[in-house]
Amino acid sequence: MSQHNEGIQVTGGSFNAGQVGVGRGARVIQNTYNIASQLQADGKEEVAQAITELLKALEAHGNQIADKEEVTQTVEKIAAEAQKEKPDKLTLKGFLTLLKESLGSVVEVAEKVTVLQKVIALMMGIPSL
């Protein structure tokens, strides 16, 4: 008889982690929050705030998003790209456009994507994304 473990087993040692997701449907998005903190430390406070607000909206309305895993990964990619010394405009525009298309039906989250688009456009010194 095989057992199905959805937990964590640690034997003969210790377990340390910054974030852990366990069980079905578990998600860990702390990494993106950490990147947002780094953006803030790098003087990109508005981008950090917009990403943080978007993550909070995703958490609050996640049950309305069919492909939440992919959406969360895209937000992480946006944060990582924005953190670079010279972010790629086309990469950011592509990710933000995909995000907006994926979340258009969830108004509360789509509004946060629009804010992030505006903040990144301002950061990059371009009219709009």
Side-chain angles (χ1 to χ4, degrees):
M1 178 166 103
S2 69
Q3 294 181 340
H4 182 72
N5 178 25
E6 289 188 31
I8 298 173
Q9 295 180 348
V10 179
T11 9
S14 62
F15 177 78
N16 297 311
Q19 60 267 349
V20 176
V22 178
R24 290 187 181 136
R27 279 289 304 137
V28 177
I29 61 171
Q30 188 62 37
N31 186 45
T32 311
Y33 280 113
N34 291 341
I35 293 172
S37 294
Q38 185 60 46
L39 283 165
Q40 188 170 11
D42 291 345
K44 298 177 180 178
E45 295 90 1
E46 291 180 357
V47 176
Q49 181 65 32
I51 288 171
T52 300
E53 292 300 318
L54 175 56
L55 290 172
K56 288 178 183 177
L58 285 172
E59 289 174 14
H61 302 283
N63 61 338
Q64 299 173 37
I65 302 168
D67 51 354
K68 186 179 173 196
E69 174 80 22
E70 187 175 318
V71 166
T72 303
Q73 289 174 358
T74 302
V75 174
E76 189 170 312
K77 290 174 186 175
I78 290 168
E81 187 64 34
Q83 187 179 23
K84 293 179 180 177
E85 188 175 326
K86 288 188 174 187
D88 186 285
K89 294 176 188 178
L90 290 176
T91 299
L92 286 170
K93 183 176 182 175
F95 285 147
L96 287 162
T97 300
L98 287 171
L99 206 55
K100 187 84 171 207
E101 290 172 0
S102 298
L103 299 169
S105 63
V106 186
V107 177
E108 297 85 353
V109 181
E111 289 172 350
K112 302 299 182 187
V113 175
T114 300
V115 170
L116 181 58
Q117 283 178 310
K118 290 177 182 177
V119 168
I120 287 179
L122 192 74
M123 176 190 81
M124 301 290 294
I126 53 178
S128 66
L129 286 173

